[in-house]
């Protein structure tokens, strides 16, 4: 029988609680400012009141998104990660060998893969920046709680310079990580580094904000730049995924998301 202090997996949320708190604090400050300036500067008070109202709307939107994404709420995060593994299987991955998850965060995708595929060995790497509220210890605790700790290894590494030999992994995956990496601004080079670790004939499934032109430029040109390294490559438009709330289609949530998958040259 379980006990009340039994550890339950904590996979976090892509909408940070710190972001929601910061928005709410901004709302309160603007509201207070509107009241404080009402007597001395009417027009400034009105501007601050309107601004407070707008910030409150954004705060409520972020709260709704956080609930929809959470594992305890709408479960959108789970469905997004399942889509990566489903695509890997559709591409021909047999669920065996070695898998690398670049930017593993809370370890959710690593754990999901290990639970679905009993013959896979998983490595998860991340820098675990503090503002994302994730850690290596959290990943290890989640894997232990899910009963797959013996097949998952977590390492603190930089995705721009992975410490693995060429062709080490049968499958390389990543979810919403590359756009956050600051140590390599050229995303083509970052993708090439990921592809370097895939074995000849192996599969990769990388999901990120590929429709953010500021970071990735023209998507067709981006794919062409990777063509010399792969035998096939495809881009899936996930900006408006089915069965998720429409407000998550906004650019600052999932509205720029795409999935690049394929095979490395044999």
């Amino acid at each position: 029988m379980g006990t009340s202090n039994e550890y339950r997996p904590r996979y976090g949320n892509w909408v940070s609680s710190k972001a929601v708190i910061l928005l709410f604090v901004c709302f309160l400050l603007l509201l207070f400012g509107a009241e404080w300036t009402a007597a001395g500067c009417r027009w400034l008070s009105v501007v601050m009141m309107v601004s407070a109202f707008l910030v409150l709307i954004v705060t409520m939107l972020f709260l709704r998104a956080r609930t929809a994404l959470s594992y305890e709420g709408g479960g959108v995060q789970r469905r997004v990660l399942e889509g990566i593994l489903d695509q890997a299987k559709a591409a021909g991955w047999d669920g065996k060998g070695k898998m690398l998850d670049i930017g593993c965060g809370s370890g959710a995708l690593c754990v999901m893969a290990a639970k679905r595929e009993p013959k896979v060995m998983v490595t998860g790497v991340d820098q675990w920046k503090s503002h994302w509220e994730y850690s290596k210890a959290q990943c290890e605790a989640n894997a232990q709680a899910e009963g797959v700790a013996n097949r998952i290894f977590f390492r603190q590494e930089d995705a721009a310079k992975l410490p693995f030999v060429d062709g080490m992994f049968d499958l390389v995956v990543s979810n919403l990580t590359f756009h956050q990496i600051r140590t390599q601004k050229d995303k083509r080079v970052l993708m090439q580094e990921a592809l370097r670790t895939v074995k000849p004939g192996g599969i990769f499934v990388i999901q990120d904000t590929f429709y953010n032109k500021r970071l990735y430029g023209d998507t067709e040109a981006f794919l062409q730049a990777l063509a010399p390294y792969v035998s096939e490559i495809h881009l899936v438009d996930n900006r408006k995924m089915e069965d998720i709330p429409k407000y998550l289609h906004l650019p600052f949530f999932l509205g720029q998301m795409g999935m690049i998958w394929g095979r490395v040259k044999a």
Side-chain angles (χ1 to χ4, degrees), residues 188 216-226:
R188 292 171 298 179
Y216 288 100
D218 179 74
T219 52
E220 289 301 322
F222 188 79
L223 293 179
Q224 290 174 8
L226 300 175

Side-chain angles (χ1 to χ4, degrees), residues 155-213:
R155 300 177 53 163
Q156 187 169 15
E157 305 290 354
D158 183 355
K161 192 175 181 181
L162 296 167
F164 306 114
V165 298
D166 295 357
M168 181 172 175
F169 297 96
D170 300 270
L171 171 67
V172 172
V173 300
S174 183
N175 182 66
L176 297 177
T177 295
F178 283 17
H179 69 281
Q180 301 178 53
I181 296 173
R182 303 290 182 262
T183 51
Q184 177 52 263
K185 294 183 179 180
D186 190 332
K187 302 307 177 185
R188 292 171 298 179
V189 175
L190 195 58
M191 282 287 293
Q192 290 165 11
E193 173 65 2
L195 296 179
R196 178 188 65 78
T197 67
V198 185
K199 77 173 187 180
I203 295 169
F204 59 91
V205 183
I206 310 294
Q207 189 155 252
D208 200 38
T209 58
F210 290 118
Y211 290 96
N212 183 339
K213 291 188 179 297

Side-chain angles (χ1 to χ4, degrees), residues 21 45-46 102 111 115 121 133 155 199 220 222 260:
I21 293 171
S45 177
V46 171
I102 301 173
V111 169
K115 291 181 70 174
M121 300 295 293
E133 304 172 358
R155 300 177 53 163
K199 77 173 187 180
E220 289 301 322
F222 188 79
I260 292 179

Side-chain angles (χ1 to χ4, degrees), residues 14 65 67-71 73-81 241 243-245 248 254:
W14 298 340
T67 300
L69 288 164
S70 73
Y71 287 81
V76 171
Q77 286 185 199
R78 179 184 295 107
R79 298 205 295 276
V80 170
L81 297 181
M241 292 180 64
D243 301 325
I244 70 170
L248 289 179
L254 305 180

Side-chain angles (χ1 to χ4, degrees), residues 19-212:
V20 176
I21 293 171
L22 180 61
L23 283 168
F24 187 67
V25 170
C26 288
F27 161 71
L28 293 177
L29 289 174
L30 286 167
L31 192 63
F32 174 78
E35 290 290 334
W36 187 67
T37 58
C41 188
R42 184 66 179 174
W43 68 268
L44 180 59
S45 177
V46 171
V47 169
M48 297 184 76
M49 184 65 72
V50 171
S51 298
F53 177 72
L54 293 175
V55 170
L56 180 61
I57 291 176
V58 174
T59 303
M60 298 304 295
L61 180 61
F62 269 65
L63 278 172
R64 287 190 67 188
R66 184 174 168 84
T67 300
L69 288 164
S70 73
Y71 287 81
E72 298 79 15
V76 171
Q77 286 185 199
R78 179 184 295 107
R79 298 205 295 276
V80 170
L81 297 181
E82 287 172 344
I84 292 175
L85 296 180
D86 290 345
Q87 182 60 70
K89 296 291 284 188
W93 181 50
D94 61 4
K96 302 176 182 178
K98 298 178 180 179
M99 170 185 139
L100 172 65
D101 179 12
I102 301 173
C104 61
S106 64
L109 184 54
C110 295
V111 169
M112 182 181 293
K115 291 181 70 174
R116 284 176 53 158
E117 306 295 342
K119 295 184 179 181
V120 69
M121 300 295 293
V122 182
T123 298
V125 298
D126 204 303
Q127 289 190 305
W128 289 296
K129 298 294 186 180
S130 59
H131 63 275
W132 276 112
E133 304 172 358
Y134 300 139
S135 68
K136 180 182 178 183
Q138 178 186 1
C139 291
E140 293 172 341
N142 288 339
Q144 185 68 39
E146 297 279 19
V148 291
N150 62 323
R151 290 188 290 113
I152 306 180
F153 306 93
F154 295 105
R155 300 177 53 163
Q156 187 169 15
E157 305 290 354
D158 183 355
K161 192 175 181 181
L162 296 167
F164 306 114
V165 298
D166 295 357
M168 181 172 175
F169 297 96
D170 300 270
L171 171 67
V172 172
V173 300
S174 183
N175 182 66
L176 297 177
T177 295
F178 283 17
H179 69 281
Q180 301 178 53
I181 296 173
R182 303 290 182 262
T183 51
Q184 177 52 263
K185 294 183 179 180
D186 190 332
K187 302 307 177 185
R188 292 171 298 179
V189 175
L190 195 58
M191 282 287 293
Q192 290 165 11
E193 173 65 2
L195 296 179
R196 178 188 65 78
T197 67
V198 185
K199 77 173 187 180
I203 295 169
F204 59 91
V205 183
I206 310 294
Q207 189 155 252
D208 200 38
T209 58
F210 290 118
Y211 290 96
N212 183 339

